Amino acid sequence: MNSSSDANQSGSPSFCLLGSMGYSHSMDTCVLEVVVILFLTVLIIAGNLVVIFVFHCAPLLHHHTTSHFIQTMAYADLLVGVSCLVPSMSLLHYLRGLNEELTCKGFGYMVSVLKSVSMASLACISVDRYIAVTRPLSYTTLVTPCRLRVCIVLIWVYSALIFLPSFFRWGKPGYHGDIFKWCALSWKTNPAFSTFIVALLYAPAALTVCFTYGSIFRICRQHTREISQRQARFSPQTEGDKGERGERCEGCPDKRYAMVLFRITSVFYVLWMPYILYFLLESAGLYHHEVASFLTTWLAISNSFCNCLIYSLSNSVFRKGLGRLFSPLFPSCLGCTEAKKDGCHV
């Protein structure tokens, strides 16, 4: 069982998933794999540390209950980045003393659980926004801090349990550990386990997101149309313009915030869809390729960095918190920004 790890420790050539691409091995190291994984590891850890610190520096971000789920995603993604140090150190031959089977199983299980937390959190965010739009008057009684905490705990417990059968040789949860030779060659996927994961995680989360955001944007379009028609029919021109601006501006923050969340969810599924499709095809025995496995897996993992990027580009409150976080490093830039704000308020 441990023959592959013993072979690696005895000085045999490194096992490289991208070796079929024909590049030469420099210093007995899988150069492409090391570069890709280390680059993503640094981005993921740095990006999510920024998200976590900004949430602590920007109290306005806590006005939405979804901030609890977003912070949960940030902590899960940060742990993904930290766990990615395991394959990086393995490729650089710093983990030769560890049991390869146990290491690759533990790493694959951990990353699968953490990404499941992100996926379930996105589904919960969409449900939260759906309740806020469809039941605004009873929202505060339905979504309480206690229920939010219980929901977050259930997300972690459910994610940990759903992948637990992989430790009992029922199947392989993913290809995250395939940089280890034992995981790539000896740990096979199981069609029944893959169907189990899709049916209990991937499909429910995707259907929930599609239904809730589809309903939210349909309701928003309907409300916008009704407001425009009412202002055109019953209000004088001047008062109508003021009222229309007021009513539209009242809904602007929620609409913009919903769009930010929708972008995060869309990017998540765009980056994960190739991995899910390959997971299904490979489990069914229809297609198998080591390069496709590596690329789809680490494309999906790269999503752990994207939330920070989307927030910084889409959310003005997040940008303000980001500026406050880095203000000690760039005081002159902060002074220029405040001067512009003062000029705008004049």
Side-chain angles (χ1 to χ4, degrees), residues 190-208:
N190 185 310
F193 183 67
S194 301
T195 304
F196 172 79
I197 295 297
V198 171
L200 270 69
L201 178 63
Y202 296 154
L207 292 175
T208 299

Side-chain angles (χ1 to χ4, degrees), residues 9 62 79 113 197 259:
Q9 294 173 21
H62 295 276
L79 291 176
V113 169
I197 295 297
M259 284 302 301

Side-chain angles (χ1 to χ4, degrees), residues 156-221:
W156 283 94
V157 172
Y158 183 79
S159 300
L161 291 178
I162 196 173
F163 289 102
L164 196 58
S166 63
F167 271 109
F168 301 99
R169 295 185 177 274
W170 188 19
K172 186 177 181 179
Y175 311 101
H176 314 99
D178 279 8
I179 55 96
F180 299 99
K181 190 174 183 179
W182 187 91
C183 268
L185 302 182
S186 302
W187 199 11
K188 303 297 182 181
T189 54
N190 185 310
F193 183 67
S194 301
T195 304
F196 172 79
I197 295 297
V198 171
L200 270 69
L201 178 63
Y202 296 154
L207 292 175
T208 299
V209 167
C210 290
F211 171 77
T212 51
Y213 278 114
S215 301
I216 288 171
F217 289 121
R218 177 175 51 80
I219 292 171
C220 287
R221 284 198 304 269

Side-chain angles (χ1 to χ4, degrees), residues 162-322:
I162 196 173
F163 289 102
L164 196 58
S166 63
F167 271 109
F168 301 99
R169 295 185 177 274
W170 188 19
K172 186 177 181 179
Y175 311 101
H176 314 99
D178 279 8
I179 55 96
F180 299 99
K181 190 174 183 179
W182 187 91
C183 268
L185 302 182
S186 302
W187 199 11
K188 303 297 182 181
T189 54
N190 185 310
F193 183 67
S194 301
T195 304
F196 172 79
I197 295 297
V198 171
L200 270 69
L201 178 63
Y202 296 154
L207 292 175
T208 299
V209 167
C210 290
F211 171 77
T212 51
Y213 278 114
S215 301
I216 288 171
F217 289 121
R218 177 175 51 80
I219 292 171
C220 287
R221 284 198 304 269
Q222 181 180 354
H223 286 178
T224 302
R225 191 182 308 113
E226 290 175 354
I227 291 172
S228 300
Q229 291 175 354
R230 187 169 67 250
Q231 293 297 334
R233 289 180 182 179
F234 302 109
S235 298
Q237 186 64 31
T238 56
E239 295 180 1
D241 292 341
K242 293 180 182 179
E244 186 175 0
R245 284 196 299 269
E247 291 191 53
R248 286 182 179 175
C249 288
E250 184 179 352
C252 282
D254 289 335
K255 185 176 180 180
R256 286 196 297 267
Y257 192 64
M259 284 302 301
V260 172
L261 299 176
F262 180 72
R263 290 188 191 107
I264 292 174
T265 305
S266 300
V267 170
F268 182 92
Y269 280 99
V270 166
L271 295 178
W272 269 83
M273 194 55 63
Y275 170 81
I276 294 174
L277 291 176
Y278 178 81
F279 183 60
L280 294 174
L281 292 174
E282 199 272 342
S283 300
L286 300 176
Y287 179 74
H288 173 75
H289 199 281
E290 292 177 348
V291 175
S293 169
F294 180 86
L295 294 179
T296 56
T297 297
W298 291 95
L299 178 67
I301 290 178
S302 69
N303 173 80
S304 297
F305 165 72
C306 291
N307 292 343
C308 174
L309 187 62
I310 295 172
Y311 267 125
S312 61
L313 295 176
S314 305
N315 194 317
S316 59
V317 178
F318 184 87
R319 288 196 297 270
K320 291 177 183 177
L322 192 64

